[in-house]
Amino acid sequence: MAQEGGSTTVSAAYVIITVVTIAANVWATAVDLAQPEWLLTNMAEVGVARSWLPPLGVLKGAGAAGLVLGLLGVRPLGIAAAIGLVLFFTGALATHVRAHVFHNIAVPGAYFALAVASAALAILR
């Protein structure tokens, strides 16, 4: 990354934040597909059916894969994946608010923040 000053900082931040976002979403995908009891309890509490978990996991996995491709140089796909994850976790936050379940809203909030940061940095770089 032979860039000047600020753009080197943006590139380094982009890589770090995006790798963390990828790791978080890969973990979330695995958990969705494994369907542990604590996740089923959380999903029921916010009114999401168990049958939705595999498709939701696949969406998170697709977002992570798109972010990987963005890191590998397919910039438009990386940006699209990050925006897709922003929209996904906006829906997760809205689901918590709709169900009035706030005790664990920080979890989708953290994923949302990572997705927003990944999107912003992907666009800026």
Side-chain angles (χ1 to χ4, degrees), residues 8 10 12-13 23 32 38 42 46 48 50 63 75 90 94 98 115 121:
T8 299
V10 169
D32 283 358
W38 62 265
N42 287 343
V46 297
V48 175
R50 181 181 188 157
R75 187 169 183 247
T90 298
R98 176 186 50 85
L121 291 167

Side-chain angles (χ1 to χ4, degrees), residues 59-82:
L59 288 172
K60 291 173 195 171
L67 292 177
V68 169
L69 291 172
L71 282 176
L72 295 175
V74 188
R75 187 169 183 247
L77 189 54
I79 292 169

Side-chain angles (χ1 to χ4, degrees), residues 87-101:
L87 295 173
F88 181 95
F89 289 108
T90 298
L93 289 168
T95 299
H96 277 256
V97 171
R98 176 186 50 85
H100 303 286
V101 177

